[in-house]
Each structure stands twice: as structure tokens, then as C-alpha cells.
Amino acid sequence: MKHIAKIYILFTLLILANCEPQWEEPYKVYKIEKGTHAPIIPKVGSMQSDVLIFNAIFDESAMYQTLTEENQHDINKLMGFSDCNAIHHDNSARFGWRWLEEKLEIHAYCYVNSERITELIGTVDFNEKVNYTLQLTDNQYIFQINDEQPVFISRGDLCEIGIYYMLYPYFGGNEVAPQDISIQIQTLY
């Protein structure tokens, strides 16, 4: 019984420590090492707002070639959150990216009632600071980069209010990173 109480207290402290926006000064480098899907030290956090705003900078390490040709179309994940008090493969919203046809594409990447939905938002340049905004409304997600035209994706109709955990950089689909990839991220809100 004491063990369960300790776990509950630890979980509660973790949630309370993440109730306010986390400010990073100036940028945190997320390095996905060759042969892996995610940075070695995953960051844990929850979102307590209806908006996620961050800046990100990709460098040339984001140019990659997959082993299997069709996997080049897979969308890697940048940042976002789970939704509807569910795991992220049931309901979530995040920005995605991929290197395709000599362009660094940015996508809206969502799971809505376990169905994956993606939409191209635009392209970005290497070593350019780009502002990403992901807003959560009652019935949709609104994705925007810089001052470009926003992309709207309908939210699940089975949503329950609950804990929204943060989702951080991840390479793949099927394949692991073919080389070290570094992404600089500065969380604003």
C-alpha cells in the first residue's frame, strides 16, 4: 500500500510541475541518433492550455534517404500532444515533417478516433527559425507555421476532457534514423 501511495505522490508532483508552460532558453537540441527513433532522453510533460506554440530550426541533418523507397513518404513527428484523455494512436495532434523531393515538408499529423489524418502545411528552409502554432478548439485542431494559411483538422467527437501529454520528436514510421538528426526547439507556450 505504501508503494502505491508513493507512486501516486510522484505522479501528482509530475503533473503539478508541468501545469505552467515550460520555457526553454533559448533552444533545446533534440538529437535522434542514427539507428533510433527518438532522442535518448525523452522529455515528459503535460499540456494545460488550448494552444501549443514553439519555434523550431532544422539543419541539413534533416536531409535523409530511407532504405526502402516508399518509406521516404513516411511522416516523422516534430511536436504535439495526445488528446481526448487517450493514448496518442487513438487521439492526438502534432506537427510532422519529412524530406521529400528535395524539400523539407511540414504536415499536420493527427489521430482522430484511431484514424490517421495528415495534411501538408508547407515547406521550410534549413537553419530558419519557424514558428509553429497548434490550437485546440471544441471541434478542431488549427495548425499554422509562421503567418502562413492555417490548416484545420476535425477533432474526434468522442473526446473526454483529461490529461494531454506532450509528444516530442520521433523519426519514422517503419525505419529508424539513417543518420544523426538534430532539431532545435524552443517552447514558447
Side-chain angles (χ1 to χ4, degrees), residues 102-173:
E102 304 299 313
K103 295 179 189 155
L104 186 58
E105 296 180 346
I106 303 299
H107 292 257
Y109 185 95
C110 298
Y111 279 95
V112 177
N113 299 329
S114 301
E115 178 187 348
R116 183 174 42 206
I117 300 168
T118 65
E119 188 172 331
L120 178 66
I121 300 171
T123 61
V124 298
D125 294 324
F126 295 120
N127 303 309
E128 172 189 16
K129 178 177 87 170
V130 176
N131 182 262
Y132 296 79
T133 302
L134 174 48
Q135 185 171 359
L136 175 66
T137 70
D138 287 341
N139 58 4
Q140 65 187 354
Y141 305 110
I142 305 169
F143 292 83
Q144 189 171 23
I145 57 174
N146 292 330
D147 295 323
E148 301 295 323
Q149 190 70 25
V151 167
F152 302 89
I153 296 187
S154 294
R155 216 175 146 209
D157 56 2
L158 304 174
C159 284
E160 295 179 25
I161 294 174
I163 296 172
Y164 305 95
Y165 61 87
M166 295 297 298
L167 299 167
Y168 295 95
Y170 184 92
F171 186 90

